[in-house]
Amino acid sequence: MTSYERKKMKILCLHGFRTSGSFLKKQINKWDPSIFENFDLDFPDGLFPAGGKSDIEGFFPPPYYEWFQFNKDFTEYTNLEECISYLCEYINTKGPFDGLLGFSQGATLSALLLGYQSQAKILMDHPPLKFLISISGSKFRIPSICDVAYKELIKAKSVHFIGEKDWLRLPSEDLAKAFQNPLIIRHSQGHTVPRLDEAAIEQLVNWTRELSVLTNDIKDDRKNGEAKKEQGKSDETEIAEHTLRKNTEPEALQA
């Protein structure tokens, strides 16, 4: 199968707090298009309308949304369970999805979904999510979540964008440690979807292409395996039918 014949992988992209799916799409569209040439990106809006002022007012038109709410210390969360249930239903009905991409609140939520799935808490009937692209993500901070979602290293492939001037720089570093062999791409900017320099573009292009090739090779192997099983069943059926015919032919019955 050539590259242009390969089935595109599907990414669920979760926006930041009090923004929107269309705003995240605009942010990601400033990246080099070759990065996601083998992917289909889905940008849903958050479950809840923004409950206060948005940082992008005056720069990008409303409406704005949020996935859940939290206190100033990030130790109490409101409507989080409703959000998780909504996203699980979305993933099951709109998917299957191969991986997740998120910015800020969306990245934090994406990592949680991967951790919960790896511990068989959610999405048991959905294929394992294979990767995460986290931009300014962080961990949840309460033990009831941490003791499940980050109980073990998350084995999904991951890339983490960490900004030198980002107020979530240290929490983003901590989130990366929750994943097995994470790729970390650092930039000099703040809490934003960064513009990528040539080195970062090359890193991300190579990462996504390797991911696409690996995933499609696995799918091809599975298809070939299923085809061999079907062929094996056909061969067994043919042998059985041949034996049955031989034993019920007139000469056989007269012997």
Side-chain angles (χ1 to χ4, degrees):
M1 182 181 289
T2 60
S3 60
Y4 59 82
E5 293 174 326
R6 290 182 179 274
K7 183 179 179 181
K8 288 190 173 184
M9 300 177 72
K10 195 168 184 178
I11 307 179
L12 181 63
C13 305
L14 305 184
H15 63 77
F17 187 61
R18 293 181 182 170
T19 63
S20 64
S22 55
F23 180 66
L24 178 59
K25 183 176 182 179
K26 179 181 178 180
Q27 291 177 295
I28 295 299
N29 281 346
K30 66 187 179 184
W31 287 0
D32 190 295
S34 64
I35 293 171
F36 293 120
E37 63 183 358
N38 294 316
F39 297 82
D40 283 327
L41 279 61
D42 188 343
F43 294 87
D45 290 322
L47 181 57
F48 303 100
K53 182 177 175 60
S54 170
D55 289 339
I56 64 172
E57 285 184 20
F59 299 97
F60 193 85
Y64 312 121
Y65 302 89
E66 53 199 47
W67 293 105
F68 56 90
Q69 298 79 41
F70 47 88
N71 66 356
K72 64 178 182 179
D73 297 321
F74 300 98
T75 55
E76 296 178 7
Y77 305 98
T78 305
N79 293 319
L80 179 58
E81 291 301 322
E82 290 85 345
C83 173
I84 293 172
S85 296
Y86 168 77
L87 284 172
C88 286
E89 182 179 358
Y90 190 95
I91 289 169
N92 281 321
T93 56
K94 303 288 187 179
F97 288 91
D98 293 283
L100 304 172
L101 177 151
F103 169 68
S104 193
Q105 188 182 59
T108 301
L109 188 54
S110 296
L112 176 67
L113 295 177
L114 280 162
Y116 272 180
Q117 189 190 39
S118 70
Q119 295 299 319
K121 182 176 174 65
I122 60 170
L123 296 171
M124 280 83 80
D125 296 327
H126 186 279
L129 295 164
K130 304 176 187 70
F131 62 89
L132 167 68
I133 299 172
S134 172
I135 309 163
S136 297
S138 61
K139 286 182 177 180
F140 284 86
R141 299 183 182 179
I142 58 176
S144 61
I145 292 177
C146 295
D147 292 346
V148 178
Y150 323 118
K151 179 181 180 181
E152 299 172 350
L153 282 178
I154 301 171
K155 295 180 181 179
K157 292 183 177 296
S158 66
V159 56
H160 303 258
F161 287 89
I162 300 177
E164 181 181 331
K165 300 175 183 177
D166 190 349
W167 62 277
L168 279 179
R169 180 177 63 84
L170 293 180
S172 293
E173 301 271 9
D174 193 39
L175 178 63
K177 294 176 183 176
F179 285 79
Q180 183 174 284
N181 300 322
L183 169 63
I184 297 176
I185 298 180
R186 303 184 186 278
H187 59 88
S188 61
Q189 300 159 61
H191 192 70
T192 185
V193 175
R195 293 191 178 276
L196 305 182
D197 59 24
E198 291 185 6
I201 291 172
E202 183 178 4
Q203 278 185 293
L204 195 54
V205 166
N206 290 337
W207 188 85
T208 55
R209 284 181 178 172
E210 288 175 5
L211 186 66
S212 179
V213 169
L214 176 62
T215 301
N216 277 286
D217 285 347
I218 291 173
K219 289 179 180 178
D220 289 344
D221 287 344
R222 285 176 180 170
K223 287 181 181 178
N224 291 336
E226 290 172 0
K228 287 179 180 178
K229 286 181 181 179
E230 289 300 320
Q231 181 63 45
K233 290 179 182 178
S234 299
D235 291 344
E236 292 172 2
T237 301
E238 185 176 347
I239 291 171
E241 290 176 349
H242 175 75
T243 302
L244 180 61
R245 286 196 304 270
K246 183 175 180 181
N247 290 334
T248 55
E249 287 174 355
E251 291 183 2
L253 294 175
Q254 294 173 5

